[in-house]
Amino acid sequence: MSAPLTIIGSGMAGLGLLRQLRAQDPARPMTLITADSGDDYSKPLLSTGFAKRLPPQRLAARSALEVADDLGVLVRTHTRVEAIDPVARTLTLGAETLPWSELVLATGAAPARPFTVPDAVADRVFSVNDLDDYRAFHAALEALGRPARVVVIGIGLVGSEFANDLVAGGHTVELVAPEPAPLPRLVPEPLGRALGEAFQEAGMVLHTGRQLVALGADGASVGLELDDGASLSADLVLVATGLRPRTALAASAGITVSEAGIHTDRHLATAMPGIHALGDAACVDGVNAMYVQPLLASARALAHTLTGTPTAVTYGPWPVLVKTPLLPVVALPPARTPSRWRLEGEGGDLTALAEDEDGRLIGFALTGRCVRRKVELARAAPPLLG
């Protein structure tokens, strides 16, 4: 039997590619290797589950066993690949060596924690980046038997979405971050402040412009000290301080990587023959877009390439829909620093247009009722990767 096409990683990128490949080639031997449970689920649903009172099993569309049966592939769960040999085309898994014909790295991104969590509170401090993480955090909330006091560290996309979801689920939320307003990398500050005001109206407490300086046990609670001297107490802490592409495995095999991810061309190919990358782990022609639409576009293009039709990926002008029902937000962050932001509207209904030096639209951000303009403005904006 010939060596299989092998995918490392079972997130939306890995499983999305697997589905696309099987649709185009019903017979090719394929193996999926994952360090987690391998369940098929939609990652965006992780930050909507608490408002809907969804247990983890409701978020999984198919188990790893069902994925293997439905797609006719070998799925190896809770398995870590220790090394790639690009010359022999093998993987090292402990004492085991597995051959591959072509290899796809869909290793995703890992939560970036800018501080050390003491062992005394490690079981009460969480990051939620996959379904296994959600299981652990959900179990901790359920174990309390009452609404929780949660401190969320970080006010970016993930922190804001989880804060909204937790409050909608009946929990008490405080947010801590050094930036002055939510969504600092997605929207201009006035729009972030509008979201912050909506959060406060819902009962959240925002500690913006503040750094965490100490974290430790405070009886049955977690104690947090901030750089302004404030002391907070929480049942649980959710850390949402960003993601870093998982590149160590690729780097150890001599594949070019950077902080932006595993470097690929428009065909998702690394400089190492037979090895491709996609999803949150990949920096495609200089762009790492950790959103659903670029990921799906990459999976479609790479499936064509791996089945004999080389296809370069393109990313359209796809806005990011932030899941904050307290104040709807849509953003298309400009690929380069705009010459100016032009703001319109009032209250929570705001439009921010990013323009270049010639007045051309290169991005936008919308809040409240202005999110209705997303299609109109996306049509006028340039593609992220044309």
Side-chain angles (χ1 to χ4, degrees):
M1 179 184 292
S2 61
L5 183 154
T6 300
I7 300 170
I8 302 175
S10 64
M12 290 185 72
L15 285 172
L17 174 62
L18 195 60
R19 284 191 291 268
Q20 293 282 340
L21 284 167
R22 188 49 87 214
Q24 297 182 44
D25 187 338
R28 185 174 188 174
M30 291 190 284
T31 297
L32 180 74
I33 302 174
T34 177
D36 60 25
S37 59
D39 293 322
D40 186 5
Y41 69 98
S42 174
K43 187 174 180 178
L45 294 180
L46 296 179
S47 57
T48 66
F50 298 109
K52 299 173 183 176
R53 308 298 204 278
L54 293 178
Q57 59 269 26
R58 290 279 304 281
L59 296 184
R62 293 182 296 179
S63 69
L65 182 59
E66 289 170 326
V67 169
D69 288 343
D70 292 348
L71 297 178
V73 300
L74 174 64
V75 178
R76 298 189 55 161
T77 62
H78 301 294
T79 301
R80 292 195 176 275
V81 177
E82 297 174 6
I84 300 167
D85 186 331
V87 177
R89 296 203 174 196
T90 58
L91 303 176
T92 300
L93 292 73
E96 188 178 4
T97 300
L98 295 181
W100 49 269
S101 60
E102 291 182 276
L103 182 66
V104 179
L105 304 177
T107 47
R113 289 186 176 182
F115 50 83
T116 301
V117 177
D119 291 342
V121 294
D123 62 342
R124 286 170 279 172
V125 179
F126 298 86
S127 295
V128 179
N129 189 46
D130 57 37
L131 186 55
D132 287 350
D133 293 340
Y134 183 89
R135 287 189 178 102
F137 188 49
H138 184 273
L141 287 169
E142 289 290 297
L144 289 171
R146 57 171 171 78
R149 298 169 301 140
V150 182
V151 170
V152 178
I153 310 294
I155 53 174
L157 175 67
V158 173
S160 295
E161 288 188 345
F162 271 105
N164 195 127
D165 193 43
L166 287 163
V167 163
H171 304 288
T172 300
V173 173
E174 297 188 55
L175 294 112
V176 177
E179 297 90 356
L183 304 178
R185 281 167 288 283
L186 281 180
V187 306
E189 189 175 322
L191 280 71
R193 290 195 182 279
L195 179 60
E197 289 168 6
F199 281 176
Q200 290 172 318
E201 290 172 5
M204 296 187 215
V205 178
L206 275 65
H207 305 273
T208 54
R210 296 289 175 259
Q211 297 272 10
L212 177 70
V213 296
L215 185 69
D218 181 17
S221 302
V222 181
L224 303 94
E225 300 293 330
L226 308 186
D227 59 359
D228 64 345
S231 297
L232 311 182
S233 180
D235 297 309
L236 304 172
V237 175
L238 182 63
V239 182
T241 49
L243 298 171
R244 291 196 185 103
R246 290 190 177 102
T247 61
L249 182 63
S252 67
I255 298 169
T256 303
V257 305
S258 68
E259 289 186 358
I262 302 167
H263 289 203
T264 79
D265 61 17
R266 294 287 186 99
H267 290 86
L268 292 309
T270 70
M272 202 70 73
I275 301 179
H276 293 74
L278 82 163
D280 290 355
C283 178
V284 182
D285 198 18
V287 174
N288 185 326
M290 292 189 184
Y291 306 115
V292 172
Q293 291 287 4
L295 182 154
L296 296 178
S298 294
R300 287 192 294 269
L302 184 53
H304 285 300
T305 295
L306 293 174
T307 52
T309 306
T311 303
V313 69
T314 59
Y315 297 159
W318 295 315
V320 178
L321 279 63
V322 184
K323 297 186 292 298
T324 48
L326 289 169
L327 182 71
V329 179
V330 172
L332 181 67
R336 63 184 189 277
T337 303
S339 177
R340 59 188 165 273
W341 280 97
R342 183 154 54 88
L343 269 64
E344 305 168 355
E346 59 183 10
D349 303 317
L350 298 172
T351 296
L353 304 176
E355 298 175 338
D356 66 12
E357 58 278 1
D358 296 319
R360 290 186 293 255
L361 182 73
I362 59 172
F364 59 84
L366 311 167
T367 61
R369 288 178 293 182
C370 293
V371 300
R372 300 168 184 167
R373 299 187 63 188
K374 64 180 182 293
V375 174
E376 162 211 343
L377 292 172
R379 286 174 176 161
L384 178 61
L385 192 65

